[in-house]
Amino acid sequence: MQDPKLIRNFCIIAHIDHGKSTLADRLIETTGALSHREMTNQVLDSMDIEKERGITIKAQTASMSYKAKDGKIYLLNLIDTPGHVDFSYEVSRSLAACEGALLVVDAAQGVEAQTVANVYMAIEANLEIIPIINKIDLPSADPEGVMEQIEEELGIDASQAVKASAKANIGIVDILEAIVTKIPPPADRNSEPLSALIFDSWFDSYLGAVSLIRVASGQIAKGMRMQMMSSGNSFEVLKVAQLTPKIIDIPKLTSGMVGIVSGSIKSVRETKVGDTITDATNPVKTPLLSFKEAKQMVFGGIFPVDSADYQNLKDSLEKLMLNDSSLTIEPEVSQALGFGYRVGFLGLLHMDIIQERLEREYNLDLIFTAPTVVYRVKTIKGDQVLIENPSKLPEATAIEEILEPYVKMTIHTPEEFIGGILKILQEKRGIQKDMEYTNAKKVKITYELPMNEMIFDFHDKLKSISRGYASMDYEVIDYRQGDLCKVDIMVNGDKVDALACITHRSSADSRGRVICKKLKEILPRQMFQIALQAAIGSKIIARETISALRKDVTAKCYGGDISRKRKLLEKQKEGKKRMKQIGNVEIPQKAFLAILSLDEE
């Protein structure tokens, strides 16, 4: 049995691109958890998308044996965490399974927005934090300045910070020693009844539903019956293993250990993240603390290009929901696009990743509609309804007020970009709350702005204005009343429900104009004229016309009387009129995506 005094459970928290995955690679390599032949770069980033984009999306784990300088062999459980703002939910789950955290800060870039957010989550979870200054081998590195920043901005004592370079293999042993000496071991609760926290789960085509667990008390062994506390269902344990990060079977997991369990669990809904596993014969009375439920902030429609793929889309989304419990789905029907799903995402990057995973891993051809946020609508009758789909907004005469979500946004930027950043924040209806210099060259800007304004190309604009140097973090604070209206888009007089959007009245006209202009560029021309209109209620606010393709019907006339040509042209005119009545305009996928990146005039 593993002595709990020799176990250390820790995670790595950092801003995106501060070298977290590389540091995890070095720790795994140095402790020999994987042989040199088995090592790859970013070994914990198992998805191709993670490697390509250089980001961590799913929390992974690696159990490592390390012989410390005191001669004892310790079991180190590294629980990897994502760094991007959209995946802070994943971070909260990983923190619940740890006693300590390595805080990795880039020696050249210093403390950034997401570093601050993750540190506060770690402090709330009562973790021991070890600061690590990474990338000290860079010519632009300023370790002393970054240590001051950590003390000033985060209130953490950085005098004992470990200076390291994961890429150059500097300071890795010092980090391992700091983990052993500073992070407290888990409590010894082997004799108590089993309680284990599920902090991740996924679907395996051979094993079924697999749960990644941290055992809080008791032991879980192959052959025993485990019970899920949320549903009361029990299953036989068929596999118990550790991840190094390759799967290694072990007879049992004891108090304080981290590993995977699977049973004869066929349904993807049985292993809820945040649930507690207990012994079916001797259950505990109260579940372990659950996580905060993930809050879906952005909603978008997903429709198959070919309606025959609807069942495939349904199955794929259900499998993805086990891998990513922060997704929500509900069926939706669109007049323009047929049957599909309304899917809730944590943010825009999350939406982008899910789109790519559905298309790559499940080979689906999909149409995604422009994302929207959730609005609270108070009707004249006194009801309050939540609207995440613009086409479901009640008629203007039935609405008393519309409330929209606001976010508190923190932006860290070098001082030379302040002017441009403040300009886009003002354009997005932002309210300035605070602006302070964190050091001689870096500024922290705090703003409150409507979430609806943030999900449309705000991040892209921020990165282009600051040449990639600004970083942002946000949290939803409340709902506020706004002068909002629905802009309907009509193609040939028919409303396209998937193109409707809810926007502030002051920018509705310009938004309608820009959408019509964009559609004019994208929609293919037909043999008849196409009218593109934007309307608020029955009032048309913008119009563009796609002119008809003209076939030269008079080409065969050589000279002769003009009446002959006129007769042919009249005949063509009649045909076009008839064509227009039954004409059906196909709207390509890029038309829906184009609305994401509109440049307002």
Side-chain angles (χ1 to χ4, degrees):
M1 188 193 293
Q2 178 71 42
D3 182 356
K5 290 193 187 72
L6 299 178
I7 297 175
R8 298 289 184 272
N9 295 319
F10 68 99
C11 61
I12 305 177
I13 52 177
H15 186 82
I16 189 167
D17 207 25
H18 277 207
K20 184 166 52 59
S21 295
T22 312
L23 176 59
D25 286 356
R26 290 297 86 77
L27 293 175
I28 290 166
E29 205 170 44
T30 308
T31 56
L34 287 179
S35 67
H36 190 68
R37 188 172 56 82
E38 291 167 319
M39 277 302 293
T40 58
N41 285 340
Q42 296 163 261
V43 72
L44 288 182
D45 291 344
S46 52
M47 285 189 263
D48 289 342
I49 301 170
E50 291 181 310
K51 289 196 164 112
E52 282 166 25
R53 295 181 178 226
I55 56 176
T56 303
I57 297 163
K58 293 293 296 167
Q60 301 285 341
T61 65
S63 298
M64 304 168 274
S65 287
Y66 172 62
K67 188 171 184 182
K69 288 178 180 171
D70 62 8
K72 293 175 185 166
I73 294 175
Y74 290 85
L75 173 66
L76 310 181
N77 293 314
L78 159 61
I79 293 155
D80 195 17
T81 60
H84 193 277
V85 54
D86 279 6
F87 300 106
S88 53
Y89 171 71
E90 289 263 344
V91 178
S92 73
R93 294 174 2 190
S94 299
L95 297 183
C98 300
E99 278 83 32
L102 305 183
L103 167 64
V104 178
V105 182
D106 189 315
Q109 292 178 311
V111 173
E112 295 202 59
Q114 197 54 36
T115 318
V116 181
N118 285 347
V119 164
Y120 288 152
M121 283 166 78
I123 292 168
E124 268 176 46
N126 219 359
L127 301 189
E128 180 66 38
I129 297 170
I130 302 172
I132 291 166
I133 316 292
N134 193 24
K135 306 190 187 181
I136 56 163
D137 57 327
L138 290 178
S140 56
D142 176 19
E144 305 309 319
V146 171
M147 282 163 76
E148 276 175 39
Q149 244 187 308
I150 290 172
E151 292 191 344
E152 282 172 24
E153 281 197 50
L154 306 174
I156 294 170
D157 177 17
S159 57
Q160 302 292 307
V162 182
K163 296 187 182 76
S165 168
K167 203 165 193 178
N169 218 349
I170 301 166
I172 304 301
V173 174
D174 297 341
I175 293 171
L176 288 164
E177 285 298 320
I179 291 166
V180 167
T181 53
K182 292 182 183 170
I183 293 175
D188 185 351
R189 297 172 59 193
N190 274 313
S191 55
E192 296 176 29
L194 169 69
S195 62
L197 183 70
I198 301 177
F199 64 91
D200 201 2
S201 55
W202 60 88
F203 190 81
D204 184 287
S205 48
Y206 299 107
L207 301 172
V210 178
S211 301
L212 186 52
I213 61 165
R214 152 75 197 268
V215 182
S217 65
Q219 305 174 16
I220 187 163
K222 198 172 169 180
M224 68 182 277
R225 283 198 81 76
M226 59 178 175
Q227 184 177 339
M228 307 291 169
M229 288 195 77
S230 64
S231 63
N233 295 341
S234 64
F235 305 93
E236 187 185 346
V237 180
L238 298 178
K239 189 179 185 74
V240 178
Q242 276 181 314
L243 294 169
T244 69
K246 66 179 180 186
I247 295 174
I248 292 178
D249 287 353
I250 54 171
K252 61 182 173 184
L253 288 169
T254 57
S255 174
M257 288 176 78
V258 172
I260 61 169
V261 292
S262 71
S264 47
I265 308 173
K266 293 186 179 71
S267 166
V268 295
R269 293 186 187 86
E270 291 289 353
T271 52
K272 288 197 183 94
V273 169
D275 197 0
T276 301
I277 292 178
T278 187
D279 187 345
T281 54
N282 183 18
V284 289
K285 299 283 183 288
T286 52
L288 295 164
L289 286 178
S290 187
F291 301 110
K292 285 184 206 161
E293 277 298 305
K295 272 205 225 106
Q296 288 74 33
M297 296 314 332
V298 177
F299 288 81
I302 303 182
F303 298 88
V305 171
D306 180 358
S307 54
D309 282 340
Y310 178 73
Q311 190 58 41
N312 288 353
L313 173 63
K314 184 184 176 195
D315 296 344
S316 307
L317 280 170
E318 282 185 359
K319 281 181 187 161
L320 263 186
M321 275 176 76
L322 180 71
N323 279 339
D324 187 343
S325 56
S326 49
L327 276 181
T328 59
I329 63 169
E330 60 174 70
E332 183 182 19
V333 183
S334 158
Q335 293 165 346
L337 301 170
F339 289 95
Y341 283 93
R342 193 96 192 147
V343 183
F345 307 95
L346 300 173
L348 280 183
L349 177 77
H350 189 212
M351 178 174 173
D352 196 17
I353 297 290
I354 293 298
Q355 176 174 358
E356 211 162 319
R357 286 188 69 185
L358 281 170
E359 287 174 352
R360 276 191 193 191
E361 294 173 26
Y362 299 99
N363 234 350
L364 290 165
D365 214 357
L366 302 170
I367 290 177
F368 273 64
T369 63
T372 61
V373 298
V374 184
Y375 296 93
R376 283 186 185 154
V377 177
K378 285 184 182 166
T379 62
I380 289 167
K381 291 177 183 170
D383 303 330
Q384 193 178 65
V385 286
L386 294 175
I387 301 290
E388 74 253 356
N389 187 345
S391 61
K392 289 184 180 164
L393 192 73
E395 288 298 317
T397 49
I399 296 171
E400 189 180 313
E401 64 172 359
I402 303 177
L403 303 168
E404 60 180 333
Y406 266 69
V407 295
K408 179 183 174 190
M409 180 174 284
T410 310
I411 295 172
H412 287 243
T413 175
E415 61 175 354
E416 64 261 36
F417 306 118
I418 294 175
I421 289 172
L422 292 182
K423 183 169 177 268
I424 58 166
L425 284 165
Q426 290 298 338
E427 283 170 6
K428 300 273 185 188
R429 299 189 283 134
I431 306 157
Q432 188 172 333
K433 287 293 170 190
D434 192 18
M435 190 160 93
E436 57 174 309
Y437 277 78
T438 54
N439 61 25
K441 291 184 175 176
K442 260 197 149 181
V443 184
K444 178 181 163 190
I445 303 167
T446 310
Y447 254 75
E448 288 177 3
L449 78 158
M451 191 168 185
N452 184 30
E453 300 285 349
M454 189 197 77
I455 66 168
F456 282 101
D457 69 8
F458 177 81
H459 193 251
D460 294 347
K461 280 186 176 170
L462 177 71
K463 286 292 179 194
S464 60
I465 282 172
S466 67
R467 300 208 298 272
Y469 284 106
S471 63
M472 64 171 251
D473 183 38
Y474 66 87
E475 59 174 328
V476 179
I477 41 176
D478 55 14
Y479 277 77
R480 299 179 194 174
Q481 205 236 328
D483 184 14
L484 301 166
C485 60
K486 180 172 83 159
V487 176
D488 281 312
I489 304 298
M490 296 189 286
V491 177
N492 249 359
D494 293 331
K495 285 185 184 175
V496 181
D497 51 0
L499 289 176
C501 61
I502 296 172
T503 185
H504 196 263
R505 206 172 288 276
S506 63
S507 59
D509 288 23
S510 62
R511 190 161 194 84
R513 269 200 307 278
V514 176
I515 292 175
C516 288
K517 217 171 231 178
K518 200 88 176 172
L519 284 174
K520 186 180 178 181
E521 291 167 20
I522 290 167
L523 292 184
R525 284 169 72 190
Q526 305 287 341
M527 295 301 286
F528 51 89
Q529 197 181 62
I530 303 170
L532 305 171
Q533 294 165 306
I536 299 173
S538 57
K539 182 188 170 195
I540 304 292
I541 54 170
R543 174 176 170 133
E544 291 285 339
T545 306
I546 300 177
S547 56
L549 277 171
R550 184 169 180 273
K551 182 181 170 190
D552 190 0
V553 290
T554 59
K556 59 187 178 190
C557 299
Y558 298 104
D561 190 359
I562 186 72
S563 61
R564 202 169 148 220
K565 285 186 181 177
R566 199 171 288 134
K567 189 177 164 190
L568 286 168
L569 290 168
E570 286 295 324
K571 196 175 172 187
Q572 184 187 39
K573 200 171 169 186
E574 284 300 311
K576 285 204 173 178
K577 216 184 260 177
R578 203 163 55 245
M579 198 185 247
K580 193 172 179 180
Q581 284 166 7
I582 57 167
N584 185 17
V585 183
E586 289 282 320
I587 300 174
Q589 152 76 358
K590 58 184 179 183
F592 298 99
L593 294 178
I595 291 171
L596 274 175
S597 53
L598 297 173
D599 290 321
E600 303 263 334
E601 291 171 349

